[in-house]
Amino acid sequence: MSDYLNELNEVQRLAVTTTDGPVLVVAGPGSGKTRVLTYRIAHLIEQGAAPWEILALTFTNKAAREMKERIAGVIGDRARQVWAGTFHSIFARILRAEAEKIGYPSNFTIYDTEDTKSVISAIIKEMNLDKESYNVNTLRSRISSAKSNLITPKLYQDNEELREEDRVNRRPLTYAVYEKYTARCKRSGAMDFDDLLYRLYELLQRNPDGVVDKYRKRFRYLLVDEFQDTNHLQYAIVRKLVNYDHSPRNVCVVGDDAQSIYAFRGATIQNMLDFEADFKPFGIKVFKLEQNYRSTEHIVQSANEVIQFNSRQIQKKIWSDRGEGHRVKIIKTRTDTEEGNRVVDTVLEQKNRYHLRNSDIAILYRTNAQSRIFEEYLRRFNVPYRVFGGMSFYQRKEVKDLIAYLRLAVNPGDEEALRRAINYPKRGIGDATMDKISELAGQSNRRMWDCIAEVETGPRVRTAIGDFVTMMQGFHSRIDKDNAYDLALDIARRSGLVDLLKSDTTMEGIGRLDNVNGLLDGIKTFVEQPPPDPEQETPDTGLAAYLQNIALLTDQDETGDEKDHVTLMSVHSAKGLEFKSVFVVGLEEKLFPSFMSMDSPDGLDEERRLFYVAITRAERYLTLSYSENRYKFGTMRSNEPSRFLSEIPRRHVESTAALQPRREDTDPAPQPSGVSGVFPLKKRAAPPIINIDPKDFKASPADAIQAGMKVLHLKFGEGKVLAVDGGKENRMATIVFDGGDSTERRLMLKFAKLQIL
């Protein structure tokens, strides 16, 4: 037996050496998935397969590169001839050779995100559509989703459910934008990233005897890494390439259904759950890699217990022989600010007690906006850190945009702030106008602000400049009167920044709005808990004092070049990584799990998988934290601890004092699913069919909604308002809808669109 096989445990060895027919490898966290995949390819070549007959599909170029390097370590230079790469790179390579068969030139252009947005923007302008309703990012996301589900422009136009959703969201011509966008790309000989999958499927569908047979013969062996992250279209292509309708070729997919966390990108856990059933007639072999080589027993068993509450899963029991290790530590705090302090205190304690390096430690959060508090305390204690998978909170564009307005309100002479703020959101004051102002300032040796009203422009630009100057002068006049939060909130709204961000309803757009709200919440904290000033009896809570404080906090000098740093990242970014010590923070209902997921069982299942990914990153030490109160939209909100905390058995927790029993009258503790094996989806009761003609529906004013009223919602039907709470701008209604299961929902009234009955 070859040496590389001796490095594998029994199940891994079977997964590597079973080379014929369909194979499903269910790989738990830390179970040696990458080793199995790479050794399987090496074994195929050692057994006589030609390297160019092997196609290995990954999700990142880094994964493909590492795969080839590992294979080369076993079999040498032959590894270079394996077709290993991302779905997009491999499919682009095939399309270059075959594009003419579907009406594209072989040298077609590949559009990136900015190219796509530019084309869509031009179409919106040509069709004279309202930019707020027809938001570019929303349309791009809509078109991408359609392609991933094999919905052509014609099918989209004929799909009444999609059309109704567009009508409700005031973009009824989305299908026409999609149609024009597709035609324009075709005319330009261009494909976007979604087209590299969409058009390949079209190629295989249209040319079954020529192209399909050609690539089925070329790729005798097909392997897919991270199969749980595939979308509907990617799985459809895999089935085409392995001749699913007849006797399939040799296909091996590797993944973990419990780590499927990219539904917002179109990934579907259904592919993982369906694979065994789909290939069962062809003698599929299933191997479960259940030994975890990464984490200690308390961490592994906590993860096992939590994921059991999901109804859709491939049952497995992960185990570890690395000893019991430390129990899970849970930190309960009164406020989010205290949470930041306590977490960083614990980081310092672990470094001293267990001799950990900074790079051994990671702080994971559900949303990027949460990094701010931890960044501030890490800086306060001089702990080097790096925000991974993104930039420092204060370096994010939307945060810098608002800070530019704040700086300009304090100091009209700040020319960099002026350049950033004056035409964002767009006011028609372009670069040419700014160049004229800059030139006049240089000639007269004055500030740009002092020259802004004198520059020669057309009447529309002059009016826009006048309105901007008047607005900023109004802000400046309040510097010594208003506290930092009241003024900053007004600037954020009146500048148009908040409305602009609200118009983008994609996940990225919502994240950017969260970041701006996170900045405002930080200013609120500064006003209510200002840092002490030994020279002043009453602390300064004005905007100028805040900006000085933030400028010191965001000075990157001491951390920029440090290699030994604490890692801050979202849980999504942490997938595939591991650390000796992991902190999962912000474990509160409506934050983790996210409020956006709480309307559906599938959404909650995905949030639980995300939590599972978070806790299985830890090797030795796992710390979970939550805050009883947290700033949200400038208001201190009370929070319930995340349901996920109550799903960890107390025997694995260091101290149960931080755990609070959840109120059984509102949300009884979930019960483990108890299923075993790969199983079909449980059939849930069909949602009630709600037939409401949008023409007859008239939304009532949000401020008219009161507790006790009966209301109508286009999607959820009739309901009764149980309670209304929150400030004027953020009023929330608790409503029970007559949906068979008497579903109770929390809706923000200014967005809810309710009709009083």
Side-chain angles (χ1 to χ4, degrees):
M1 185 177 288
S2 302
D3 288 339
Y4 64 89
L5 293 180
N6 290 331
E7 298 177 21
L8 305 172
N9 64 35
E10 183 180 352
V11 181
Q12 289 174 333
R13 189 180 302 115
L14 286 170
V16 165
T17 57
T18 305
T19 57
D20 296 330
V23 171
L24 168 62
V25 180
V26 182
S31 62
K33 167 184 71 72
T34 304
R35 172 174 289 187
V36 166
L37 196 60
T38 54
Y39 280 18
R40 181 181 172 87
I41 295 172
H43 187 70
L44 285 169
I45 296 171
E46 286 284 271
Q47 296 301 303
W52 53 86
E53 294 179 323
I54 301 170
L55 172 61
L57 297 171
T58 68
F59 275 85
T60 66
N61 289 309
K62 179 184 177 185
R65 186 168 58 250
E66 289 179 353
M67 186 185 297
K68 284 194 173 185
E69 289 171 357
R70 287 199 185 197
I71 299 168
V74 179
I75 62 170
D77 286 345
R78 288 177 293 171
R80 291 187 294 108
Q81 297 174 296
V82 173
W83 280 57
T86 64
F87 280 87
H88 291 90
S89 64
I90 294 293
F91 293 171
R93 186 173 171 184
I94 294 173
L95 283 168
R96 292 285 182 204
E98 313 289 349
E100 292 179 1
K101 293 182 175 65
I102 53 172
Y104 276 85
S106 60
N107 62 342
F108 60 85
T109 300
I110 298 177
Y111 278 169
D112 63 16
T113 301
E114 291 306 312
D115 295 325
T116 296
K117 288 163 65 174
S118 179
V119 174
I120 294 174
S121 293
I123 293 170
I124 292 170
K125 186 175 181 180
E126 289 168 13
M127 294 178 67
N128 198 28
L129 301 174
D130 176 57
K131 290 182 180 179
E132 184 174 334
S133 298
Y134 291 88
N135 177 272
V136 172
N137 287 316
T138 301
L139 288 176
R140 182 180 70 84
S141 177
R142 198 81 172 150
I143 292 170
S144 173
S145 177
K147 290 180 180 179
S148 295
N149 287 285
L150 291 172
I151 299 172
T152 64
K154 180 64 170 62
L155 289 174
Y156 194 110
Q157 184 176 359
D158 294 341
N159 188 307
E160 187 54 35
E161 185 178 344
L162 292 174
R163 296 287 303 281
E164 176 60 22
E165 188 176 341
D166 287 334
R167 282 193 289 269
V168 169
N169 288 286
R170 297 183 300 138
R171 48 171 188 263
L173 294 177
T174 297
Y175 76 92
V177 176
Y178 181 18
E179 186 176 46
K180 286 179 179 290
Y181 173 75
T182 302
R184 190 152 306 180
C185 288
K186 191 76 176 282
R187 188 179 71 202
S188 302
M191 296 189 196
D192 60 26
F193 271 66
D194 294 306
D195 281 327
L196 296 177
L197 308 179
Y198 182 69
R199 295 299 179 188
L200 182 73
Y201 184 85
E202 179 188 1
L203 173 72
L204 300 177
Q205 183 77 358
R206 281 197 194 176
N207 301 272
D209 298 328
V211 175
V212 176
D213 285 347
K214 173 182 175 180
Y215 288 99
R216 282 175 180 168
K217 290 175 182 175
R218 173 172 296 180
F219 302 128
R220 290 178 54 210
Y221 300 94
L222 174 61
L223 301 93
V224 184
D225 190 15
E226 303 286 9
F227 187 67
Q228 77 279 350
D229 293 336
T230 55
N231 61 26
H232 173 74
L233 178 52
Q234 287 164 325
Y235 187 28
I237 293 171
V238 167
R239 285 160 48 131
K240 284 280 184 189
L241 289 173
V242 299
N243 196 18
Y244 168 74
D245 295 327
H246 298 89
S247 178
R249 305 281 173 170
N250 306 307
V251 55
C252 173
V253 302
V254 182
D256 182 5
D257 60 296
Q259 298 186 65
S260 179
I261 59 173
Y262 294 116
F264 65 93
R265 294 181 186 169
T268 172
I269 189 178
Q270 195 61 48
N271 291 346
M272 192 80 183
L273 297 173
D274 282 348
F275 190 84
E276 185 188 32
D278 289 346
F279 286 89
K280 192 172 184 178
F282 308 112
I284 187 174
K285 302 288 194 304
V286 179
F287 301 102
K288 296 181 182 180
L289 308 184
E290 296 177 305
Q291 182 175 359
N292 182 302
Y293 292 94
R294 173 189 300 153
S295 308
T296 53
E297 192 70 10
H298 278 303
I299 295 171
V300 168
Q301 293 307 323
S302 295
N304 276 341
E305 295 286 347
V306 166
I307 203 64
Q308 289 300 312
F309 289 101
N310 272 14
S311 59
R312 305 174 65 195
Q313 60 178 291
I314 298 172
Q315 193 73 13
K316 54 189 174 295
K317 193 72 173 176
I318 309 301
W319 60 278
S320 169
D321 63 1
R322 299 195 64 193
E324 279 195 348
H326 293 258
R327 285 182 168 84
V328 178
K329 182 181 179 70
I330 297 179
I331 296 175
K332 168 188 172 183
T333 62
R334 289 178 294 105
T335 66
D336 48 358
T337 304
E338 184 187 342
E339 182 187 29
N341 194 353
R342 288 277 304 280
V343 164
V344 175
D345 271 346
T346 308
V347 167
L348 294 171
E349 179 189 344
Q350 288 186 352
K351 286 178 62 180
N352 292 328
R353 179 178 294 184
Y354 306 123
H355 308 292
L356 298 183
R357 291 158 47 90
N358 292 315
S359 57
D360 293 330
I361 301 168
I363 299 174
L364 309 183
Y365 34 75
R366 180 63 182 83
T367 67
N368 285 318
Q370 290 172 255
S371 76
R372 175 187 60 81
I373 289 172
F374 302 99
E375 288 188 59
E376 291 181 6
Y377 276 97
L378 287 167
R379 289 191 171 283
R380 192 170 295 183
F381 289 102
N382 295 315
V383 179
Y385 71 87
R386 178 187 169 203
V387 181
F388 183 89
M391 57 188 69
S392 170
F393 179 85
Y394 296 100
Q395 294 301 311
R396 292 169 187 150
K397 179 185 181 301
E398 57 277 8
V399 173
K400 293 183 75 172
D401 288 335
L402 179 51
I403 288 176
Y405 273 95
L406 305 185
R407 284 168 45 187
L408 193 61
V410 171
N411 174 21
D414 188 334
E415 295 194 354
E416 290 305 309
L418 175 62
R419 288 181 183 277
R420 190 175 191 103
I422 195 168
N423 200 41
Y424 189 80
K426 289 186 177 180
R427 299 181 174 88
I429 308 171
D431 291 341
T433 301
M434 293 306 296
D435 289 343
K436 289 180 182 179
I437 296 171
S438 180
E439 184 179 352
L440 181 58
Q443 291 171 353
S444 59
N445 195 26
R446 290 183 294 165
R447 302 183 307 176
M448 287 178 65
W449 179 260
D450 297 329
C451 303
I452 196 169
E454 301 174 16
V455 70
E456 294 183 8
T457 62
R460 290 181 63 185
V461 177
R462 190 177 301 115
T463 300
I465 289 175
D467 291 344
F468 178 76
V469 169
T470 300
M471 177 179 69
M472 294 309 304
Q473 286 174 336
F475 296 147
H476 183 66
S477 69
R478 296 162 54 189
I479 289 298
D480 297 324
K481 302 173 186 175
D482 293 5
N483 67 51
Y485 176 73
D486 290 342
L487 183 51
L489 181 62
D490 200 34
I491 290 173
R493 290 172 176 169
R494 288 184 54 200
S495 65
L497 282 177
V498 170
D499 286 341
L500 180 68
L501 292 171
K502 282 181 178 177
S503 69
D504 183 356
T505 57
T506 63
M507 290 293 291
E508 294 84 357
I510 293 169
R512 284 188 281 270
L513 181 59
D514 280 347
N515 288 334
V516 166
N517 284 322
L519 178 66
L520 292 170
D521 290 342
I523 300 174
K524 182 80 166 182
T525 301
F526 172 83
V527 169
E528 297 192 351
Q529 304 169 28
D533 187 338
E535 297 183 3
Q536 289 186 328
E537 190 172 325
T538 303
D540 186 352
T541 59
L543 190 56
Y546 170 76
L547 288 173
Q548 178 177 320
N549 181 63
I550 214 72
L552 295 173
L553 281 174
T554 57
D555 177 11
Q556 295 291 317
D557 290 343
E558 79 261 28
T559 60
D561 297 321
E562 290 278 358
K563 291 184 179 178
D564 182 30
H565 48 250
V566 172
T567 297
L568 277 71
M569 64 173 73
S570 70
V571 181
H572 281 101
S573 297
K575 187 165 175 288
L577 303 177
E578 56 189 49
F579 301 89
K580 288 181 181 176
S581 175
V582 168
F583 293 78
V584 187
V585 300
L587 281 162
E588 299 133 33
E589 290 289 288
K590 301 182 183 178
L591 182 55
F592 199 176
S594 165
F595 75 95
M596 297 177 65
S597 70
M598 298 178 74
D599 280 344
S600 73
D602 288 347
L604 280 172
D605 275 8
E606 171 128 347
E607 289 290 302
R608 189 173 285 105
R609 292 194 295 270
L610 192 59
F611 181 61
Y612 178 85
V613 166
I615 62 180
T616 55
R617 301 309 94 199
E619 297 177 13
R620 300 182 193 170
Y621 314 104
L622 174 62
T623 306
L624 312 176
S625 71
Y626 71 94
S627 169
E628 293 181 301
N629 302 281
R630 182 178 298 274
Y631 272 116
K632 191 71 175 173
F633 306 115
T635 303
M636 184 66 81
R637 306 278 178 88
S638 61
N639 312 301
E640 287 190 47
S642 171
R643 67 191 67 199
F644 302 151
L645 293 172
S646 67
E647 294 170 4
I648 299 175
R650 292 175 179 252
R651 65 182 179 276
H652 299 306
V653 178
E654 182 179 297
S655 169
T656 59
L659 288 176
Q660 292 182 355
R662 302 182 69 243
R663 295 178 305 179
E664 292 193 4
D665 58 331
T666 59
D667 198 354
Q671 297 299 313
S673 61
V675 294
S676 62
V678 182
F679 60 95
L681 278 180
K682 292 180 179 178
K683 291 186 177 179
R684 297 187 175 92
I689 299 173
I690 300 169
N691 294 313
I692 303 170
D693 190 340
K695 295 176 184 176
D696 299 330
F697 180 85
K698 293 181 181 179
S700 303
D703 55 8
I705 307 295
Q706 302 295 334
M709 289 182 171
K710 287 192 174 182
V711 293
L712 183 67
H713 187 279
L714 271 174
K715 180 179 178 182
F716 305 132
E718 292 187 17
K720 182 178 180 179
V721 181
L722 300 182
V724 176
D725 56 77
K728 183 178 179 182
E729 288 296 318
N730 301 296
R731 294 176 78 231
M732 300 285 294
T734 303
I735 306 171
V736 60
F737 288 99
D738 302 333
D741 57 353
S742 296
T743 306
E744 187 178 300
R745 300 179 188 274
R746 291 270 293 166
L747 302 177
M748 185 169 282
L749 287 175
K750 63 182 176 182
F751 300 127
K753 295 186 175 65
L754 298 169
Q755 179 180 338
I756 298 172
L757 297 178

